[in-house]
Amino acid sequence: MKKFAVAAALLTAIVATPAMAAEGGEARVEVRGGYITGSGFDDATLGIAGGYDFDLGSTAFGGAEIAGDKVLVDGAKVQFSAGGRAGAKIGANGKLYANAGYTFGQIDDPYVGAGYQHKLGQNLYAKAEYRHQFINNFDDFDTFAVGLGFAF
């Protein structure tokens, strides 16, 4: 029940965020892939994500995101996550951010991380991100990912 409540609250924030956004907020969708390591486990991941970032003035932003990521190993299920991010705008095209949230599926635990997103054109962007997953029953995991997305 706790994980359902957390996911519902974060999803509500994502849906409500566009209404609160100042001029210049943007929705985004992306594909991403990466590498997960920890607890003697090392494998590739592939996933999709969607979210919304809203302006907090000319130099800062905040946003919310939902995602589904699959560890590319037999027997692993899609791991879903919901979270938020906040950071600084770097020049006209960059965003440096910290993020945090909660994953649910095979593993139900919180994560924190950081990343950088850079526009490659008017709507296309690339990003690199690190996440540290806090696992109660095992050693923690670290994920290193890159993504390609579309902002609108």
Side-chain angles (χ1 to χ4, degrees):
M1 185 66 173
K2 176 183 169 186
K3 62 185 165 186
F4 177 75
V6 170
L10 290 170
L11 184 57
T12 300
I14 290 169
V15 172
T17 298
M20 300 183 320
E23 183 68 29
E26 63 185 9
R28 57 188 166 75
V29 294
E30 67 188 47
V31 295
R32 59 191 186 187
Y35 181 75
I36 187 168
T37 183
S39 245
F41 180 79
D42 296 297
D43 218 319
T45 65
L46 185 61
I48 59 171
Y52 191 88
D53 289 339
F54 54 97
D55 289 337
L56 299 174
S58 61
T59 60
F61 73 96
E65 177 179 272
I66 56 173
D69 294 287
K70 168 87 166 85
V71 177
L72 301 178
V73 65
D74 289 340
K77 296 178 182 174
V78 173
Q79 188 72 23
F80 296 98
S81 63
R85 66 186 198 164
K89 297 175 188 176
I90 308 296
N93 296 321
K95 291 181 175 181
L96 182 64
Y97 61 89
N99 61 3
Y102 197 82
T103 61
F104 45 98
Q106 278 184 291
I107 297 172
D108 297 327
D109 287 300
Y111 69 85
V112 297
Y116 178 76
Q117 178 178 314
H118 194 86
K119 283 189 175 182
L120 303 174
Q122 184 166 344
N123 297 93
L124 190 65
Y125 68 85
K127 76 179 215 180
E129 186 174 282
Y130 164 78
R131 283 188 181 180
H132 182 81
Q133 181 81 39
F134 298 97
I135 309 296
N136 283 332
N137 300 336
F138 304 101
D139 291 337
D140 295 352
F141 286 97
D142 293 302
T143 303
F144 304 90
V146 294
L148 187 62
F150 186 78
F152 49 98

